[in-house]
């Protein structure tokens, strides 16, 4: 270990092992240094013979991995340092400790030590954090700059988080107004100032999109330090602690914009009569994932995904959620290599968007006195009157006012 948490290399080589006469010394040290940069990846598994539930230290797994690397270097006719250079090592390289394997986590530069300290202070025992971004628009003192018909979403959302006892929240604060507001009203909420800035390529896009583009570089840094992140917007209400309802079996686990079973994917067909016998053809349809409620595990592929999305948003104008979904779902082909992450879609009736709750599946949730189903979350992404709908959800489920949402229309207009 070089003193950097999560088995990552901070660049300090002062306490690394030195070679002994037989050349065995460097291998463990180099194993803790290994990472991948410049878009090159290695995903190495070393299965260890140990009883289920027993603990094998990261150091021992590192030793096993070092033997793998030593063997590969010898077969390639390379010294270990030359082999590591060929693999693309760099500052910020990590070893991630999985249950039965050790995984090389790619490096895209040196992690931010300030952010690392915040995460160390806040993350739970599973190394999980909830991440949200906030600026003065969320406070909405000036109703001309917020687009949800007024209301202090920041205050309402943080009160909801406190109600559930969620203690692993970190808020990335983007301006002085929000920092000072939280100092006064929520002094115990952990916050930090992200060092990244809205890229020039996004300056003439929607204000919400401009803020959202900052997510991906931040998530990449968090994942690279070995933490798992639940990234959340603030225009939603959790009705229970969401960490209690995650499966954690995929690279990413996300809410859907879907409001039917098409959220999980469907096949459709075409019929081209000009083809005669070969007229038919199948194609797939799937709703976009919503990055406003997204759980991301620290894996090589998820780090690669965040790096790709962040790179595109830095250099091309676009809606961040569309870019994200293109990198998740579009296929590798020719010289185009996607991140190839594994995906779990959250249950659209449990982690519900506001169209699901108020419109498409309304018969499950309304009227409040006779509802047959209760979601775990409602995200107001389909409606402009966001704060009013957040308040009605909280009144209904937290205060027992079962009819609090009944008069709100299914869509954004009366009669819908």
């Amino acid at each position: 270990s070089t003193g950097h948490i999560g088995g990552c290399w901070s660049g300090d080589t002062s306490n690394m092992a030195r070679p002994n006469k037989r050349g065995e010394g460097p291998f463990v040290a180099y194993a803790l240094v290994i990472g991948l940069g410049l878009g090159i990846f290695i995903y190495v598994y070393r299965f260890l013979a140990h009883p289920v539930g027993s603990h094998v230290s990261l150091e021992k797994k590192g030793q096993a991995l070092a033997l793998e690397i030593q063997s590969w270097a010898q077969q390639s006719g390379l010294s270990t340092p030359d082999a590591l250079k060929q693999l693309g090592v760099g500052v910020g390289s990590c070893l991630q400790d999985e249950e039965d394997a050790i995984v090389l986590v790619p490096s895209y530069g040196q992690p931010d030590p300030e952010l690392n300290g915040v995460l160390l202070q806040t993350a739970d025992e599973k190394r999980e954090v909830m991440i949200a971004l906030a600026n003065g628009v969320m406070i909405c003192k000036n109703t001309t700059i917020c687009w949800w018909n007024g209301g202090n979403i920041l205050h309402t959302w943080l009160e909801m988080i406190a109600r559930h006892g969620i203690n692993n929240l970190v808020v990335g604060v983007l301006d002085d107004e929000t920092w000072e507001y939280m100092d006064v009203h929520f002094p115990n909420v952990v916050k930090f100032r992200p060092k990244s800035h809205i890229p020039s390529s996004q300056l003439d896009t929607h204000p919400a999109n401009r803020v959202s583009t900052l997510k991906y570089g931040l998530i990449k840094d968090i994942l690279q330090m070995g933490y798992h992140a639940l990234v959340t917007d603030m225009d939603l209400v959790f009705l229970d602690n969401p960490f209690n309802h995650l499966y954690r079996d995929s690279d990413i686990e996300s809410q859907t914009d879907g409001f039917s079973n098409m959220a999980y994917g469907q096949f459709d067909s075409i019929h081209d009569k000009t083809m005669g016998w070969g007229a038919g053809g199948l194609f797939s349809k799937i709703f976009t994932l919503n990055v406003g409620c997204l759980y991301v595990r620290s894996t090589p592929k998820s780090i690669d995904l965040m790096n790709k999305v962040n790179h595109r948003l830095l250099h091309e104008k676009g809606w961040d959620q569309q870019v994200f979904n293109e990198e998740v779902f579009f296929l590798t082909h020719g010289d185009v290599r996607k991140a190839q992450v594994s995906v779990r879609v959250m249950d659209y009736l449990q982690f519900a968007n506001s169209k699901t709750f108020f419109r498409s599946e309304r018969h499950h949730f309304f009227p409040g006195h006779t509802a047959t189903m209760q979601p775990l979350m409602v995200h107001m992404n389909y409606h402009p009157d966001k704060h009013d709908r957040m308040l009605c959800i909280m009144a209904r489920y937290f205060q027992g006012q079962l009819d609090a949402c009944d008069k709100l229309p299914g869509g954004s207009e009366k009669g819908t």
Side-chain angles (χ1 to χ4, degrees):
S1 171
T2 62
H4 194 14
I5 67 168
C8 304
W9 179 37
S10 64
D12 177 18
T13 59
S14 60
N15 58 349
M16 286 185 177
R18 301 301 182 205
N20 61 19
K21 292 182 179 179
R22 293 186 293 174
E24 296 174 347
F27 297 119
V28 173
Y30 279 123
L32 294 175
V33 172
I34 291 176
L36 302 174
L38 307 175
I40 304 174
F41 292 87
I42 294 180
Y43 194 60
V44 178
Y45 286 91
R46 177 70 173 179
F47 289 95
L48 303 173
H50 61 88
V52 174
S54 67
H55 174 72
V56 178
S57 69
L58 180 62
E59 180 182 2
K60 290 182 178 178
K61 291 182 181 181
Q63 291 172 348
L65 181 58
L67 294 177
E68 294 268 1
I69 298 161
Q70 179 184 5
S71 175
W72 176 81
Q74 290 174 345
Q75 293 173 9
S76 303
L78 300 171
S79 66
T80 302
D82 288 341
L84 294 175
K85 288 179 182 179
Q86 184 169 319
L87 295 174
V89 302
V91 173
S93 307
C94 300
L95 291 181
Q96 180 175 304
D97 191 10
E98 299 288 354
E99 181 179 354
D100 56 1
I102 192 160
V103 177
L104 286 162
V105 180
S107 167
Y108 293 102
Q110 187 168 5
D112 178 1
E114 180 181 351
L115 175 59
N116 185 39
V118 170
L119 298 174
L120 182 62
Q121 170 192 352
T122 311
D124 64 15
E125 66 280 358
K126 294 180 179 177
R127 297 181 65 80
E128 293 177 332
V129 291
M130 178 181 286
I131 298 291
L133 296 176
N135 61 8
V137 176
M138 308 307 295
I139 303 172
C140 199
K141 286 183 179 180
N142 180 358
T143 57
T144 63
I145 64 171
C146 51
W147 54 92
W148 50 84
N149 301 333
N152 191 334
I153 284 181
L154 174 67
H155 196 105
T156 299
W157 189 80
L158 288 174
E159 285 186 332
M160 177 271 299
I161 292 294
R163 177 186 177 89
H164 295 309
I166 298 173
N167 298 317
N168 58 339
L169 167 68
V170 178
V171 178
V173 177
L174 304 179
D175 55 34
D176 293 338
E177 178 188 0
T178 307
W179 190 276
E180 293 166 3
Y181 185 90
M182 291 183 63
D183 275 345
V184 173
H185 298 280
F186 299 94
N188 296 324
V189 174
V190 177
K191 58 187 183 296
F192 76 106
R193 294 294 288 265
K195 291 183 171 59
S196 55
H197 301 283
I198 295 170
S200 58
S201 58
Q202 311 299 330
L203 289 180
D204 61 346
T205 62
H206 191 278
N209 179 70
R210 292 201 295 267
V211 171
S212 192
T213 58
L214 300 176
K215 290 180 181 178
Y216 305 93
L218 176 61
I219 300 170
K220 178 203 69 176
D221 291 343
I222 292 170
L223 301 180
Q224 190 171 305
M225 287 184 275
Y227 294 94
H228 316 292
L230 177 59
V231 189
T232 172
D233 286 350
M234 292 187 171
D235 62 334
L236 56 76
V237 177
F238 292 116
L239 302 180
D240 193 12
N241 187 331
F243 288 99
N244 296 336
H245 302 277
L246 297 173
Y247 284 82
R248 301 176 175 87
D249 60 356
S250 303
D251 294 314
I252 61 174
E253 189 169 345
S254 178
Q255 183 203 359
T256 175
D257 278 337
F259 42 86
S260 69
N261 280 331
M262 202 168 77
Y264 311 132
Q266 289 181 357
F267 276 118
D268 206 338
S269 63
I270 59 172
H271 187 78
D272 181 0
K273 294 180 180 180
T274 65
M275 285 292 294
W277 178 85
L282 291 176
F283 62 93
S284 60
K285 300 188 297 186
I286 188 168
F287 267 101
T288 50
L289 301 177
N290 190 299
V291 294
C293 184
L294 170 69
Y295 177 73
V296 191
R297 294 177 62 238
S298 176
T299 69
K301 289 185 177 181
S302 63
I303 296 172
D304 186 26
L305 170 66
M306 295 303 157
N307 187 64
K308 290 179 183 299
V309 175
N310 186 56
H311 179 79
R312 285 186 58 184
L313 292 173
L314 287 173
H315 295 91
E316 62 185 74
K317 181 180 177 180
W319 180 31
D320 70 287
Q321 186 160 289
Q322 179 176 335
V323 172
F324 173 83
N325 276 271
E326 288 174 359
E327 294 299 326
V328 169
F329 289 125
F330 285 8
L331 302 179
T332 294
H333 60 281
D335 294 330
V336 177
R337 186 183 62 80
K338 300 299 183 180
Q340 302 176 332
V341 291
S342 58
V343 180
R344 171 179 280 275
V345 179
M346 294 174 174
D347 188 326
Y348 81 98
L349 292 171
Q350 294 290 295
F351 288 86
N353 59 57
S354 56
K355 182 171 182 177
T356 296
F357 184 83
F358 287 102
R359 178 72 180 274
S360 69
E361 302 293 337
R362 191 178 180 95
H363 59 284
H364 287 306
F365 305 112
F366 292 88
H369 286 279
T370 58
T372 60
M373 187 176 293
Q374 176 174 323
L376 298 169
M377 180 205 75
V378 183
H379 186 182
M380 314 309 157
N381 59 313
Y382 273 99
H383 291 83
D385 51 341
K386 296 175 180 296
H387 193 245
D388 289 343
R389 291 181 188 254
M390 289 177 69
L391 293 177
C392 93
I393 294 289
M394 294 171 71
R396 173 172 166 174
Y397 290 107
F398 297 163
Q399 301 164 18
Q401 301 176 27
L402 298 182
D403 62 350
C405 299
D406 288 2
K407 294 183 180 180
L408 290 172
S412 58
E413 313 298 334
K414 290 183 178 181
T416 58

